[in-house]
Amino acid sequence: MIKHKSAIKRARQSKKRHLINRHYLSRMRNSIKGLIEVIKEKKKDEATNMLRMATSIINETACRGMIHKKNASRKISRLTKKVNAIN
């Protein structure tokens, strides 16, 4: 059991940050899943709008340090290729 005052505070902060990080990661994953669904339906206009939103969310997640910047760049690049491939 944690006894030091600073360790108790650190555990409390860690738990709070964990919940916040989970929120942003799930938000990112949900935006990507939604975009892939629209891509499968081949709706070009809707996919373009959703790509813009997903790109913003992915960049925000990377800026917060939850995923690496190059990982974010790779995700955005692959999603952009899929959207551009829609005829």
Side-chain angles (χ1 to χ4, degrees):
M1 194 66 198
I2 302 170
K3 293 187 178 184
H4 294 284
K5 205 173 189 181
S6 61
I8 293 169
K9 181 178 178 181
R10 179 57 67 191
R12 196 172 58 238
Q13 288 174 332
S14 178
K15 194 182 298 183
K16 186 177 177 182
R17 285 197 185 106
H18 175 71
L19 291 174
I20 293 168
N21 291 346
R22 248 181 43 195
H23 164 73
Y24 281 102
L25 283 172
S26 67
R27 184 173 162 225
M28 180 189 72
R29 286 191 211 106
N30 289 338
S31 70
I32 292 171
K33 285 177 190 174
L35 177 58
I36 289 172
E37 287 296 318
V38 172
I39 290 170
K40 286 180 182 175
E41 294 170 7
K42 301 196 177 195
K43 297 179 180 177
K44 180 79 171 180
D45 295 331
E46 198 175 330
T48 306
N49 291 334
M50 287 190 73
L51 175 66
R52 193 174 299 119
M53 286 182 4
T55 301
S56 172
I57 291 170
I58 292 169
N59 279 331
E60 184 181 349
T61 308
C63 287
R64 288 178 174 272
M66 283 160 243
I67 60 172
H68 197 272
K69 285 184 179 183
K70 290 189 178 182
N71 184 347
S73 178
R74 185 172 62 244
K75 285 179 189 298
I76 292 168
S77 174
R78 288 176 181 173
L79 290 171
T80 305
K81 278 185 187 177
K82 288 179 182 179
V83 170
N84 289 338
I86 299 173
N87 291 329

